[in-house]
Structures are given as structure tokens and as C-alpha cells.
Amino acid sequence: MSMTLPEPTLPIRILVVDDHTLFRRGLTALLSRDPQLQVVGDAADAGQAQRRAQELQPDVVLLDNHLPGVNGVDALPALREAAPRARVLMLTVSEDGDDLAAALRGGACGYLLKTIEGDELASSIRRAMRGDSVVSPEMTGKLVAAFRGADARSAGEPVSADRPAPLLLADGPVSPLALLSPRELDILRGIARGDSNKEIARELAIAETTVKIHVQHILRKLGMSSRVQAAVLASGHGLS
């Protein structure tokens, strides 16, 4: 069963870190439309970000990876030291799996692409404040691949993209995936591949809103708080 977490204190105070002035201004204007969000400052490089984080003690830092001098991933330790209670969300154009893995290892609580819609970004910020890890759907497949690689290496097995496992365990409890309907399993396969809701809807010839509802049901049935967790579980059961 998933645990209900308390809502964050509002408004959520945000520090925007990006070397493009127009992007910072545009993002600030976008987020200011949401009364639950407040951009309290911005920074153009890692050094400035550290100073501003220490001064402002924001709730959330939106951090680009491509910064002049020290990149965002390498700046994570100093930022976390400057504002220990802040949740750091990478907001970047990089779809590189190594960048994703390095960011999460460095303490970022999420990895979002700049192609994200404004309402989804606001939702991701709120979820981060509730303790969730948030990763853009386009990056989920790469995250699952990283988990697979780590699991295989720790077990001394060759890394393989296909490692099927039955839905029902032969000598143990029933898999939690047995709780899902056939349609929910179809959608979970898409999640495990890293498909977005729009891509899953197109493949299954259903409405995107229907996919969103199914995803909510899937997470509730599995007792999970994010599609990343569901993707990892599905991958382990050969559903990708």
C-alpha cells in the first residue's frame, strides 16, 4: 500500500539555474502563473548557484546540466551542501543516459527534459516536494537499462536487453503484476519501454486521457508513487 505524504508548505520556493537569460526569464514567467510556486531567484553558473542557494535556501532547485565552467551534475555536491533541504531537479536538453545516471547518483531527485509541458513541470515540482523521484518519460527506458546493467554486473551475468521472467513465480508469491488487467499490462509495457502517454495512446489506439487514468490505477494497484518504479518492476518481469 502506498503511503500518503503530507502536502508541501506553499508556496514552493524555487531557484532557477540556467546560463540562458531568456530561458530563465521565460521559465520564471511560466511558473509564476501557478500560485503554489514562487521563483525566489536565479543563477547563470554553478558558482552563482551555490551562493544563491546558500542565501535563499530554496525548496527546489531547477538545474541545467550544460553550464559554463562546472556543469550541473558536477555542481550537485556543492549545491546540496549549500542548501541541504532543497530538492534538486535537473532540467536539461541532454537525453544522455550517462548524464541521467550521474545526476541521480549525485543526489538529484529527478531528471526532466526541457521539452516538458508547463503543467507537467509544475506537477513534477510538487511531486518532488512530496518525496517522489521524477524522471521524464522519454528517459525511463534509459533508467531501466541502467538498473538492468547494475543488476547484471552485481550478479556476474552478461548485460542483456532481454531477460524474461514469468508473471507468476513458480515457487513463491504471485507477482504483483497479476493484479493488473490485460489493458493495464499493455500500458505497463509501454511505460517500461520509456514511451510517453501520447505514444502509448497512439500504439493502443486509445485516448491519451485514458492512458493517464490507467497509469494512475496501475500505480495504485502496485503501491508505487512513480512510473519509474513501475517501469523497473515491469522490466524485471520481462514486460519491456
Side-chain angles (χ1 to χ4, degrees):
M1 180 180 297
S2 59
M3 180 175 62
T4 302
L5 296 170
E7 288 294 322
T9 302
L10 301 175
I12 299 170
R13 303 171 68 255
I14 302 165
L15 173 65
V16 175
V17 183
D18 194 284
D19 63 329
H20 290 94
T21 302
L22 288 178
F23 181 81
R24 294 198 308 273
R25 290 176 180 172
L27 186 57
T28 298
L30 176 67
L31 295 177
S32 68
R33 299 175 186 171
D34 191 321
Q36 296 183 343
L37 307 178
Q38 179 186 11
V39 177
V40 294
D42 60 38
D45 58 46
Q48 189 179 25
Q50 182 181 358
R51 293 190 296 272
R52 296 289 278 162
Q54 189 166 25
E55 170 193 354
L56 297 168
Q57 293 299 309
D59 300 311
V60 171
V61 178
L62 294 179
L63 178 64
D64 187 20
N65 193 38
H66 295 150
L67 298 175
V70 179
N71 66 30
V73 167
D74 292 336
L76 278 169
L79 271 176
R80 296 185 67 214
E81 183 177 353
R85 288 180 289 185
R87 306 282 288 173
V88 181
L89 280 171
M90 303 300 297
L91 182 60
T92 179
V93 298
S94 173
E95 298 186 32
D96 187 87
D98 290 339
D99 287 345
L100 167 65
L104 298 182
R105 283 197 304 266
C109 70
Y111 195 97
L112 305 173
L113 298 180
K114 287 184 176 180
T115 53
I116 192 171
E117 297 290 339
D119 58 343
E120 292 178 3
L121 175 58
S123 175
S124 295
I125 292 171
R126 284 190 283 268
R127 287 171 54 201
M129 282 301 297
R130 290 195 296 266
D132 290 351
S133 295
V134 289
V135 175
S136 285
E138 299 92 332
M139 299 298 293
T140 305
K142 295 178 182 180
L143 181 60
V144 170
F147 271 105
R148 283 176 170 170
D151 290 345
R153 285 189 294 271
S154 65
E157 301 172 0
V159 178
S160 171
D162 284 322
R163 289 170 41 196
L167 287 180
L168 299 180
L169 305 181
D171 298 310
V174 174
S175 163
L177 299 188
L179 299 171
L180 305 183
S181 69
R183 174 60 84 191
E184 289 168 343
L185 287 172
D186 288 338
I187 290 171
L188 186 56
R189 287 186 182 92
I191 293 174
R193 290 193 302 268
D195 294 346
S196 66
N197 287 347
K198 182 178 295 185
E199 290 169 332
I200 294 172
R202 186 183 305 118
E203 179 184 353
L204 298 179
I206 57 178
E208 185 177 354
T209 53
T210 302
V211 175
K212 290 181 179 179
I213 293 171
H214 278 304
V215 170
Q216 293 172 0
H217 291 169
I218 290 167
L219 295 180
R220 187 178 68 249
K221 287 183 178 181
L222 298 179
M224 294 177 169
S225 60
S226 76
R227 61 193 292 142
V228 173
Q229 293 173 317
V232 172
L233 174 67
S235 175
H237 286 77
L239 281 190
S240 54

